[in-house]
Amino acid sequence: SRGTATMGILLASYATMIQPLDWLSAASNLVLSVTGILLMLRPGWNMPGIASLLGTYAAFAGWQLFGAAGNDSGDAHATLWFLPASWAIFAIPGMLGRFRETLGERGRAIFTAANNGLYFLIFTVVWLNTYGNQGFWKVPAVFGFVLLILGALGRKWEDSAAASNFLQGLAGLSLAVVLKFDGYHLGLALAGESLVLALAFHRFHKWPEYAFAMLAGMGAVIVSVFLHLFPSENFPLWSGVLAAVLVVLAAGFVRLNVGQTTRPTPQQVRAGASLLAYSSLAILLFGGCYRLPIVWQLPMLAGFAVSFSALSLFIDRRRWMVEIAWASGISGILALSMITSDATRVGSGFALCAAIVACAIWHRPPTTEDSSPFSELDPVNFAQPFSWLFALLAPLLFGKLIFALNLSDHGNIGALAMGAIVLAITARLLKADSLGITSILPNMGALALVIPAVFDHSLDLSKAFSFAPAAGAAGILILSAFQPGEKHLLQIFIARGMLFVAWGVAILVAFPEGFIDLVALSAGAGFFWAWRRERSAPVEAWGWLMASLAALIFVWIEGNASILHGYSSEGMALVVLLGAIAIKTPRLPEILQISNSDNLAKVLPWLACLVLSIWSTHLIVVTIGWKAVVILWTVLGFGLVLLGLMLGRITSRQTGFVLLTAALLKLFLVDVWDFSTVMRIISFIALGIALVILGFFYHRFAPALKRLIDDDTPRPPLT
């Protein structure tokens, strides 16, 4: 019987499709619809109803859409009038619980969803073919509203068919909104829909409202981004701000339901609230901030950063919406990416102040109990990256402000160096450690403006301003080294390194002809300070010593290079300094400690004697010539021997004997060939006599000479 009924309904529907009789055919479809539903009242007779559903809509589709009856397509108005009646008949199983015995709970939901979908599809195509798209938005609006009412009526019994109606009703109304509005009106409408659905979710705790609230919020974001990338009309600023406010309110109402529902789960509700919150931020950026003139976008982003930081850390103390804190970080990163964009002086100053305030805020996050189920996602638990973000942003914005003032090179150098000290003072007052470390960045900018003058002395840079970066580094070092409480070693280390480099660059710019000696004197000052305080010599002193020695070697090899305009006695201070530290060796700092500290006491005397010998030889050769070198080596050799005897230094004595030997060899192997024949004979006779005398003295006083050369007296301890 079921099979016969099903086949009869299908054949009748097919006959209606191939032989349309206009209104009479539409009426026959209604009869078939009623017949199928009545047969479904019998338990287990679901196939006749399904056949009636599919046959009725197939007949309408074949009649009106596919031309199954030939050229005669029938009356479209009949379709538009009788199609809703057919839908209403097939909607009965979804409204009456009696059909559960026939279709089951899940079957009723599927049957209802199929009825709604097929009806809307066929009605839409017929409407568009008949009337075009003029006023079509009313179709999904009316149909969605009807489905919404049906779904709401059946929700109290937890009916799955009612859930299908409600879900499809929301889809229809959303489509109507998209079709009705365009431009920024569409963004506002979607944002408003998101808020309304969030309120409904807060009231009923159901999946459809939750899902469509998310979709509407993301739709508002897509509209804002599209209007930003492809502006085709006036996009007022207030509309973007209002849409952002509506979506963030929706996020708040969704967030209220964490822990109130099991489907969706608390984690899903929390994720949905986060999605809406970030959607609100995106709308605020693309629909608000980026709609401003380019010169105001950077200060606006900085304003967002400090506002979100204060709102999250001071107002939302229970960490109810951690997305607010993340929004401050996102705004800071976007501001950092726009650091090279145009901005007014006022805007740059405002952005600078905002970055400093945000940095100070993130250095003191409140330590209150967290109510969020995802506490590991709370930036307060790891606030250091946020504090570093704004600590990096502040000095960069300061540099941007300085260059926006259009000062001269001298003005930029002085302002950057002074600004570094001001930022360091500000960091100390606000107890913002990361800002104290990054405050050196403007001083680095000042140094970058000074360095070109090292290679091009034609640049108009005064000697006084070349020392501005060094002064700035010294000021920061003093502030960091003499602050009360715990000292921050990283800040001190960076400031000392900056001072070391900036001081050398300043000397190269201001006094290139005296670089070697002035840097050596700087190192000597560091060693003298260590001797007076009986402490290890600072690393900078050793660094300046090596820099001075490297520059002297460079001059010896290359001559007077372009950046080192040397003079005849250049390097004297270095020679004296090497001699001083060879006699009284300073202690190495812990960072430079070697396994055997005696190695330094052994190396320095040899280095001092070597540099003294080469330096004096180079000086004599440049001023007088090679012939006078014999006299120099003789005098210097005897002097080093005497000095070694007086101080008990074997290195000095050995170097002296080497110089005396070199002088003797040069005299009788090189210089003798410049003499006349008579003088040459006399020289060799004198050489023979000298050798005989030396042989006599060596034979007579060999043990004493051996002790003189080899024995070493105890060295004084390192101080």
Side-chain angles (χ1 to χ4, degrees):
S1 299
R2 289 197 303 267
T4 302
T6 301
M7 183 60 66
I9 291 174
L10 291 176
L11 290 174
S13 300
Y14 179 69
T16 305
M17 179 179 66
I18 63 176
Q19 187 61 42
L21 298 176
D22 297 336
W23 293 87
L24 181 59
S25 297
S28 67
N29 275 341
L30 290 180
V31 173
L32 292 174
S33 302
V34 173
T35 301
I37 296 301
L38 290 176
L39 290 174
M40 287 178 65
L41 291 174
R42 296 179 63 86
W45 282 55
N46 54 0
M47 289 307 299
I50 296 174
S52 177
L53 173 71
L54 297 177
T56 299
Y57 285 118
F60 277 118
W63 178 16
Q64 291 292 332
L65 306 180
F66 304 112
N71 295 328
D72 187 6
S73 61
D75 190 352
H77 294 85
T79 302
L80 294 178
W81 280 102
F82 280 88
L83 196 58
S86 299
W87 168 84
I89 293 172
F90 290 121
I92 293 175
M95 299 172 60
L96 299 179
R98 183 174 179 179
F99 288 88
R100 286 189 177 92
E101 298 180 3
T102 304
L103 294 172
E105 189 66 26
R106 184 177 181 183
R108 288 177 64 240
I110 296 175
F111 188 88
T112 301
N115 177 40
N116 296 335
L118 291 172
Y119 163 75
F120 182 74
L121 176 63
I122 297 174
F123 192 93
T124 296
V125 176
V126 174
W127 178 283
L128 294 177
N129 290 337
T130 305
Y131 299 107
N133 57 5
Q134 183 68 29
F136 174 69
W137 67 272
K138 300 176 183 178
V139 174
V142 174
F143 186 55
F145 183 72
V146 172
L147 291 180
L148 208 62
I149 293 176
L150 292 178
L153 291 176
R155 270 195 162 187
K156 63 179 66 178
W157 297 288
E158 298 293 333
D159 195 319
S160 58
S164 296
N165 283 328
F166 198 88
L167 186 64
Q168 290 177 303
L170 289 177
L173 289 176
S174 299
L175 178 60
V177 170
V178 174
L179 294 175
K180 173 61 177 175
F181 300 99
D182 57 0
Y184 70 90
H185 298 94
L186 177 58
L188 282 173
L190 290 173
E193 180 185 357
S194 179
L195 176 58
V196 171
L197 292 174
L199 288 169
F201 174 69
H202 178 60
R203 173 65 179 82
F204 300 107
H205 302 149
K206 299 296 183 180
W207 253 107
E209 293 94 326
Y210 168 80
F212 277 91
M214 302 300 107
L215 292 175
M218 290 187 292
V221 174
I222 294 173
V223 171
S224 299
V225 174
F226 182 83
L227 291 178
H228 173 72
L229 297 178
F230 308 100
S232 59
E233 61 175 339
N234 183 26
F235 186 7
L237 182 64
W238 62 265
S239 64
V241 176
L242 178 58
V245 171
L246 294 175
V247 174
V248 78
L249 289 176
F253 282 108
V254 172
R255 176 65 179 83
L256 287 172
N257 295 274
V258 173
Q260 304 296 321
T261 64
T262 56
R263 189 174 180 271
T265 64
Q267 291 82 1
Q268 291 171 334
V269 175
R270 189 71 183 86
S274 297
L275 178 62
L276 287 177
Y278 293 131
S279 298
S280 173
L281 177 62
I283 296 172
L284 187 63
L285 293 174
F286 290 101
C289 178
Y290 292 152
R291 303 296 300 176
L292 294 171
I294 188 66
V295 295
W296 289 108
Q297 292 181 11
L298 176 60
M300 184 59 66
L301 288 171
F304 287 163
V306 69
S307 300
F308 291 142
S309 299
L311 180 61
S312 176
L313 299 178
F314 298 145
I315 305 299
D316 186 19
R317 290 181 178 270
R318 290 183 57 82
R319 328 297 332 124
W320 187 68
M321 286 289 287
V322 296
E323 293 78 15
I324 300 175
W326 284 106
S328 69
I330 294 172
S331 301
I333 293 174
L334 294 175
L336 189 63
S337 67
M338 295 189 64
I339 200 69
T340 58
S341 63
D342 295 333
T344 62
R345 299 175 183 177
V346 176
S348 297
F350 173 79
L352 171 61
C353 296
I356 293 175
V357 173
C359 180
I361 290 176
W362 278 103
H363 273 84
R364 288 184 298 277
T367 55
T368 57
E369 183 180 358
D370 187 3
S371 62
S372 171
F374 293 94
S375 59
E376 68 273 9
L377 296 179
D378 190 351
V380 175
N381 295 335
F382 46 95
Q384 190 175 13
F386 287 79
S387 64
W388 276 104
L389 170 64
F390 295 110
L392 177 62
L393 184 61
L396 295 179
L397 287 171
F398 176 78
K400 183 180 182 65
L401 176 61
I402 293 301
F403 286 108
L405 297 176
N406 296 322
L407 303 175
S408 62
D409 289 341
H410 292 87
N412 288 333
I413 294 172
L416 289 172
M418 182 60 66
I421 299 177
V422 173
L423 284 178
I425 295 174
T426 304
R428 182 168 175 177
L429 294 176
L430 298 177
K431 297 181 180 179
D433 300 334
S434 58
L435 180 60
I437 294 174
T438 59
S439 62
I440 199 70
L441 291 179
N443 203 57
M444 291 182 179
L447 180 61
L449 295 177
V450 174
I451 287 177
V454 173
F455 305 96
D456 187 3
H457 288 276
S458 63
L459 296 178
D460 186 18
L461 182 63
S462 67
K463 296 181 179 181
F465 277 94
S466 65
F467 285 92
I476 296 176
L477 180 59
I478 293 172
L479 288 171
S480 58
F482 295 98
Q483 61 179 344
E486 182 182 359
K487 295 180 175 58
H488 299 281
L489 298 180
L490 180 59
Q491 184 179 5
I492 295 175
F493 175 77
I494 294 176
R496 289 177 63 177
M498 183 67 185
L499 177 59
F500 173 79
V501 176
W503 182 256
V505 171
I507 294 177
L508 269 177
V509 174
F511 308 103
E513 69 282 353
F515 174 80
I516 296 174
D517 289 326
L518 290 176
V519 172
L521 290 175
S522 303
F527 290 130
F528 181 75
W529 174 84
W531 286 327
R532 287 293 302 271
R533 292 183 172 268
E534 297 182 352
R535 300 173 63 178
S536 59
V539 178
E540 293 84 349
W542 294 103
W544 282 325
L545 174 64
M546 299 305 296
S548 178
L549 182 59
L552 182 61
I553 296 173
F554 179 78
V555 170
W556 287 343
I557 297 174
E558 298 292 335
N560 292 335
S562 58
I563 62 174
L564 293 174
H565 305 288
Y567 53 93
S568 59
S569 60
E570 186 177 22
M572 182 181 297
L574 174 61
V575 173
V576 174
L577 177 61
L578 285 173
I581 62 175
I583 295 173
K584 190 174 183 180
T585 307
R587 288 202 306 266
L588 284 172
E590 293 183 1
I591 194 174
L592 297 179
Q593 284 291 349
I594 55 180
S595 59
N596 187 2
S597 58
D598 288 340
N599 292 335
L600 181 64
K602 294 178 180 179
V603 171
L604 281 178
W606 281 111
L607 180 62
C609 292
L610 178 63
V611 172
L612 173 61
S613 302
I614 298 176
W615 174 80
S616 57
T617 302
H618 180 268
L619 178 62
I620 292 298
V621 170
V622 171
T623 55
I624 300 177
W626 276 102
K627 292 183 178 180
V629 170
V630 174
I631 301 174
L632 170 67
W633 288 350
T634 302
V635 175
L636 186 59
F638 277 110
L640 289 176
V641 171
L642 293 176
L643 183 63
L645 291 173
M646 294 173 59
L647 299 178
R649 298 281 179 162
I650 187 174
T651 303
S652 179
R653 299 198 301 268
Q654 291 175 343
T655 304
F657 280 115
V658 170
L659 288 175
L660 289 173
T661 303
L664 188 62
L665 292 176
K666 184 178 184 300
L667 175 63
F668 289 103
L669 295 180
V670 178
D671 295 343
V672 71
W673 301 107
D674 294 333
F675 299 156
S676 62
T677 303
V678 177
M679 290 299 299
R680 194 175 303 162
I681 294 172
I682 296 173
S683 298
F684 279 107
I685 293 173
L687 175 60
I689 296 173
L691 292 175
V692 171
I693 295 174
L694 286 175
F696 170 76
F697 274 98
Y698 178 79
H699 178 73
R700 179 69 176 81
F701 302 105
L705 290 174
K706 181 175 176 49
R707 288 195 304 271
L708 178 63
I709 296 175
D710 295 336
D711 290 350
D712 193 11
T713 56
R715 297 182 181 86
L718 295 177
T719 58

